[in-house]
Amino acid sequence: MRQIDLPAQIDHLRKLGADFAALHATVTALNAHPGSEMLQQVGPKILAIHELVGRALVRLSVLDGSQYTAVPGSRSSLETLSEVIASGSLAASQLARAVADNPLEAAAITGGPPVDDAAVHQARHAEARPLLAESLTTAAHHLDLCATCCRYTAAGIARDLKDHPEHRPSLPQLTNAQYTALDKIAQGGARRYERRGGSGSVMTGDGSSIHATPFAVLEKHRLIRINTQHSAIAGQDVTVTAAGKLVLDTQRPGPTPSASPGKAPAPGKPGGRRR
């Protein structure tokens, strides 16, 4: 039985679901207007669907045979993820059907009977338009189902790990300051900034700042994710990962130890918990 990073798989599935949802939105916005423009619009969508289906297959292959299969309830999650493969392939097939039904203008057979090109063009487009509309609608439906199934699978894995501590991965035990910082980021998000001199800061959604020490611990244990695609000078979004969410769900901050009243802490032993 392979040991895998299950919180990381949850993050992968959430991202996959978001990408399916984004593709669903673009397919829904397509206009079923026959001709070359339709081909130019649909072609890249077919390629994008196949790429997402490939990613879903990777996720299913990684989960299959892993320690997750021993968790009660895991069968439902794997079956739901399998549906993503089927629905995604059906979505691509529907768009491929639209390509086949889409009339493209080209020369007729030489020596054939004379025809009214304008009338033929109009008739072909009128016949194809409802077929294209149906294919686009069906493809969008399957993409929406893919997004839903990805989110459902991610939520199912997270729920299973929360409900069955014996199968839960090893997670860091946070101090009060670290837990509070993580909870603030989960509640309203955060942005990390760096000044040109090298100093930096992290601001939460409510305008408060997060101390660099607990933030560094959260980053070290991959409980948060920093969007490095943007400049740190302009600000980088910080979000909580699945591992971070699992920590918030399964841990509760405890009281901070302090020295007895009127008694100084012993040398070398700080009176409070580390940040």
Side-chain angles (χ1 to χ4, degrees), residues 1 33 73 96 240:
M1 185 176 293
H33 184 72
V240 174

Side-chain angles (χ1 to χ4, degrees), residues 12 15-17 19 50-60:
H12 284 308
K15 179 62 168 62
L16 184 60
D19 290 344
H50 285 308
E51 190 268 334
L52 295 183
V53 169
R55 284 166 54 189
L57 273 169
V58 170
R59 300 277 70 82
L60 183 62

Side-chain angles (χ1 to χ4, degrees), residues 185 190-204 207-213 215-216 219 224 226 231-238:
I185 297 173
R191 287 178 72 83
R192 183 180 71 169
Y193 299 91
E194 285 187 9
R195 299 181 180 87
R196 296 190 183 278
S199 61
S201 62
V202 179
M203 304 298 296
T204 62
S208 62
S209 62
I210 294 179
H211 195 277
T213 301
F215 185 83
E219 183 179 8
I224 55 174
I226 302 170
S231 167
I233 295 176
Q236 298 171 323
D237 288 332
V238 181

Side-chain angles (χ1 to χ4, degrees), residues 122-145:
Q122 185 175 2
R124 293 179 70 210
H125 279 229
E127 181 182 3
R129 192 169 285 109
L131 298 177
L132 297 179
E134 182 180 2
S135 292
L136 294 180
T137 299
T138 305
H141 166 73
H142 284 296
L143 290 173
D144 184 49
L145 185 59

Side-chain angles (χ1 to χ4, degrees), residues 194-258:
E194 285 187 9
R195 299 181 180 87
R196 296 190 183 278
S199 61
S201 62
V202 179
M203 304 298 296
T204 62
D206 62 5
S208 62
S209 62
I210 294 179
H211 195 277
T213 301
F215 185 83
V217 173
L218 302 182
E219 183 179 8
K220 173 185 175 182
H221 290 291
R222 294 184 294 181
L223 303 182
I224 55 174
R225 180 186 300 103
I226 302 170
N227 185 357
T228 57
Q229 294 181 344
H230 297 91
S231 167
I233 295 176
Q236 298 171 323
D237 288 332
V238 181
T239 54
V240 174
T241 64
K245 182 64 168 61
L246 191 57
V247 167
L248 290 174
D249 288 342
T250 57
Q251 294 183 20
R252 289 293 179 269
T256 302
S258 58

